[in-house]
Amino acid sequence: MNTQSIVERIREIIDDETLVQLKEELNSYHEADLADIFQELKPEERLQCFKLLDLEKAADLMEYLTPQIQVELLGDIDEEMASKILTKLPHDAAADVLGDMEEDESETYLDKLPHKFSEEVRELLTYNEDTAGGIMNPVVLTVNSDMSVQDVLNHIRIKAEEDNMELYYVYVVDKQNHLLGVVSLRKLLTSPITQKVEDIMISDIVKLHVDDYSDFITDEFMKYQYNALPVVDLYNRLKGMITWDDVHDLFEEETTEEIYQSSGISTEVVDEDEILSGNIINAIRARTPWLFITLLGEFIAVNVAHHFDHTFSLLPVVATFMPLLAGLGGNIGTQSITLMVRGLSTGQVTLSSALHYILRESCIGASIGLLFGFLVMLVTWGWQHNVGLGCVVGLAMAINMTMATAIGTFTPFALKAIKVDPAVASGPVIATTIDVVGLAVYFTLVTVYLARVFS
Amino acid sequence: MNTQSIVERIREIIDDETLVQLKEELNSYHEADLADIFQELKPEERLQCFKLLDLEKAADLMEYLTPQIQVELLGDIDEEMASKILTKLPHDAAADVLGDMEEDESETYLDKLPHKFSEEVRELLTYNEDTAGGIMNPVVLTVNSDMSVQDVLNHIRIKAEEDNMELYYVYVVDKQNHLLGVVSLRKLLTSPITQKVEDIMISDIVKLHVDDYSDFITDEFMKYQYNALPVVDLYNRLKGMITWDDVHDLFEEETTEEIYQSSGISTEVVDEDEILSGNIINAIRARTPWLFITLLGEFIAVNVAHHFDHTFSLLPVVATFMPLLAGLGGNIGTQSITLMVRGLSTGQVTLSSALHYILRESCIGASIGLLFGFLVMLVTWGWQHNVGLGCVVGLAMAINMTMATAIGTFTPFALKAIKVDPAVASGPVIATTIDVVGLAVYFTLVTVYLARVFS
């Protein structure tokens, strides 16, 4: 599907004012495709198109739109219509939309919604939106342990139809709603219809707690690979369930955070959505801390270099190699950091294998360092007709790259060991350390060399 | 669950040689937990533990292990046992394991497997492992369009039981196995049992083609949020299905590739698994290209700096600020690159909004640049007692940071527009460009300043 060409066709139909055709065209798309189209439209076009959608289609579409566009559209259509759409949404989706609105605005809508629905949504809104309670859908199909398979199938026929619920597993609870077990639809459909649920249910259940945070939730889903997990409270009472499609969104958010952190964009103080498109002040707040640490570190580097001022007057070309050394040391060090931080995050790398990886990376650093050092030596020699200087720069390059990989590998493990998140802290600390140490090595070599030449 | 302490307990039990206890302990864990434990064990401990697992448990565990450990374990146990385990795996998992072995080794196993199973696995092995054909499970529950809901339920009861198949949707096909529609289990369970399948099936189906590549597959899953998609061949004949748990693995791989590429680790020539733990030569091959481009770029920077050699003899402290300028310019530029590359990858940023983002980022760069420039000016002034030099360095910093954000934002869009993957090419090109341009600006300012001072 080429979104751009569809958007252009829709614009033409809007211009022609053949609304019947537009209505038909829009309602024929899958809601996921519509979401892509809406993303590209201008706000006024978006509103015009949204008003032409059937109620069901509009509600389905809501779940695929970004929070900004959801709030924008609901705010622009009349409140009656907005309430109708909200009621058609699953509870967790409705709570997400209302949670993104200003409080007085969401209250207006909540008052207009059917009482039972609004009560359940209000309860969801009391949970932190980054915890299982804020993410879960409270509408879950539950059965009692003494029901037969046939009873359960009849129960599903009635309940699943009326409540528009997602159905992957049937949860078995006692009279106080304590979670006892789980039965998959597959098991249900392949068991004799007279069998008791308690005989086919699994009782060693992987479950989430309402207060579990989103990173824990995605880890559990990735690890156990179920497509839904139940959510319980402190007393093991079933409060809702989280399905894999909720987790996909979380997973994408976490990936974004991980990638942002790897280049020093902090997602601690500012929400990750805000950085790309929100208030510019927030974007600056997210980006400054890392740069500030770099600034401090580079002042140390400046100070180190300053001790060799006399060298620069003696042999100015020495100074010109500083960006070369810093650049390559920084880059190869960043590669090592990235590999370790990512490996620790996926579990492919563990603390107990730290030594193995430090040796491996240092070995890689030394190999590439010797290669690049040799190249730099040749170029410098040929360019400056000074084999001694070539050797100094080449040797500095080799040592610099080896040290950069060793530091870049060691630091994430050290941070992990003292329970600091390596993803957040590694980058700036390591990059400036490599700069400072690299320059110190270089200038020491230069000084030794000059002492021999001029002695 | 604390894997480390469980591993230690298991080691103690191994030392005590109370194998009955070890067997009981191991079989009591969830296979996902066992996989974490196995990851931590030494190869000989792993083999000893694996031999104690029940056949079912061993087969379930296989799906959670890394390819290296799968191949290691199957190679070390006797072939009879290995064949039994392979037969218990879903077809796609068996094909994955066999695909990771040497060809003569996998042939030995294939010859030992039941004929029908080995034929189906052989077919899977003919597809490229990064395409839908290589990822899909060929065992799919199909029904004909004229069956009633009751017929289908009976059919499921027999087929799903005997074939150990994953069950999310029932696919409707004609006699030549052409895909006609899809019915969810939920729909099936809530429809009247006399209704015909063709009346409740959805015929506008989102489907994959056997030759679709993994990045397209993850995009489709993320977009449409189904938990399984059917895979068809050129003639719309149903060949298999891909489920969300297959996609989770793909998704994690893609995230790793995206993160690797952002720090210049190439995943084009070397498989992403190989870089962290494979042959050291491969790791060097993956890391050198980016560093090499940096090397070339930095030689240009050296050359630029070399033109100002006389400045270094005149005022050596000028040289000491080079790492400071290069470091901060590089860092803020990297932040902009990361934001744009990630945004383009998730679809949050589109080519048509390029101008908006270039202006926004330049504005952020200018704000941070002015702030940092002012700080650097103050520090330099205080340190060198030279307000003129302070202004030059501060101004260079501000211009450098602004330009770095502009270049870092512009380049990913430009690459995208000429259909080059911005994730692969942005990093090295931009970083060195920023270095070169930054130094040129700085030295120009210094030269102008010195000309005024010494004139």
Side-chain angles (χ1 to χ4, degrees), chain B residues 10-28:
Chain B
I10 287 177
R11 289 206 170 116
E12 274 173 33
I13 307 179
I14 293 179
D15 287 342
D16 292 350
E17 298 184 21
T18 48
L19 292 188
V20 181
Q21 192 194 339
L22 184 58
K23 186 179 166 74
E24 198 178 313
E25 172 102 19
L26 288 170
N27 282 293
S28 74

Side-chain angles (χ1 to χ4, degrees), chain A residues 2 43 50 52 69 74 146 156 166 175 183 186 203 221 240 245 267 289 292 299 307 331 343 362 377 404 430:
Chain A
N2 183 335
F50 191 68
L52 292 174
I69 298 185
L74 285 186
D146 57 353
I156 291 176
E166 296 183 89
K175 293 215 167 49
V183 183
R186 181 175 174 281
S203 345
F221 267 88
D245 50 315
T267 53
F292 197 74
F299 273 132
H307 280 104
N331 280 0
S362 306
M377 191 271 280
I430 301 177

Side-chain angles (χ1 to χ4, degrees), chain B residues 246-433:
Chain B
D246 301 320
V247 175
H248 257 187
D249 295 343
L250 293 181
F251 202 68
E252 191 161 79
E253 269 173 40
E254 269 187 32
T255 305
T256 299
E257 285 185 12
E258 203 172 327
I259 291 176
Y260 280 8
Q261 284 170 350
S262 75
S263 47
I265 301 166
S266 160
T267 53
E268 310 278 289
V269 282
V270 181
D271 199 53
E272 136 272 329
D273 292 345
E274 288 282 304
I275 294 168
L276 191 57
S277 54
N279 190 313
I280 213 162
I281 299 291
N282 279 334
I284 293 174
R285 279 176 59 208
R287 293 169 70 162
T288 317
W290 193 56
L291 296 171
F292 198 73
I293 295 177
T294 310
L295 184 68
L296 294 180
E298 293 297 347
F299 272 133
I300 301 176
V302 167
N303 204 31
V304 168
H306 185 53
H307 281 102
F308 297 87
D309 267 7
H310 58 279
T311 315
F312 298 152
S313 2
L314 217 56
L315 192 62
V317 75
V318 162
T320 61
F321 289 105
M322 288 199 297
L324 177 70
L325 289 167
L328 281 162
N331 280 359
I332 199 169
T334 304
Q335 290 183 337
S336 298
I337 301 169
T338 303
L339 286 171
M340 293 310 124
V341 169
R342 177 66 185 160
L344 285 168
S345 140
T346 60
Q348 231 191 314
V349 171
T350 54
L351 256 187
S352 56
S353 54
L355 193 63
H356 163 77
Y357 284 106
I358 293 172
L359 291 176
R360 180 185 158 91
E361 285 294 306
S362 306
C363 182
I364 292 173
S367 310
I368 301 180
L370 284 172
L371 173 67
F372 277 50
F374 184 67
L375 285 175
V376 169
M377 191 270 280
L378 287 182
V379 172
T380 309
W381 182 10
W383 180 47
Q384 290 288 315
H385 308 291
N386 183 339
V387 65
L389 184 66
C391 288
V392 165
V393 178
L395 188 59
M397 178 69 93
I399 295 177
N400 195 6
M401 290 182 96
T402 312
M403 277 194 329
T405 48
I407 297 173
T409 314
F410 169 77
T411 317
F413 287 114
L415 290 169
K416 178 94 181 175
I418 58 167
K419 312 244 182 260
V420 174
D421 183 357
V424 177
S426 291
V429 176
I430 301 176
T432 50
T433 309

Side-chain angles (χ1 to χ4, degrees), chain A residues 191-223:
Chain A
S191 297
I193 55 172
T194 53
Q195 196 146 26
K196 282 263 164 63
V197 164
E198 58 191 356
D199 299 330
I200 59 169
M201 74 184 187
I202 294 170
S203 345
D204 285 333
I205 316 166
V206 178
K207 57 197 171 189
L208 298 168
H209 184 271
V210 282
D211 290 330
D212 285 339
Y213 272 93
S214 56
D215 50 349
F216 179 78
I217 299 171
T218 51
D219 286 350
E220 293 289 285
F221 267 88
M222 283 303 288
K223 177 171 169 185

Side-chain angles (χ1 to χ4, degrees), chain B residues 74-75 77-85 105 108-109 112:
Chain B
L74 285 186
I77 59 175
D78 68 277
E79 283 186 6
E80 199 67 34
M81 186 69 184
S83 303
K84 272 191 195 155
I85 291 173
E105 204 181 346
T108 324
Y109 286 115
K112 282 186 192 294

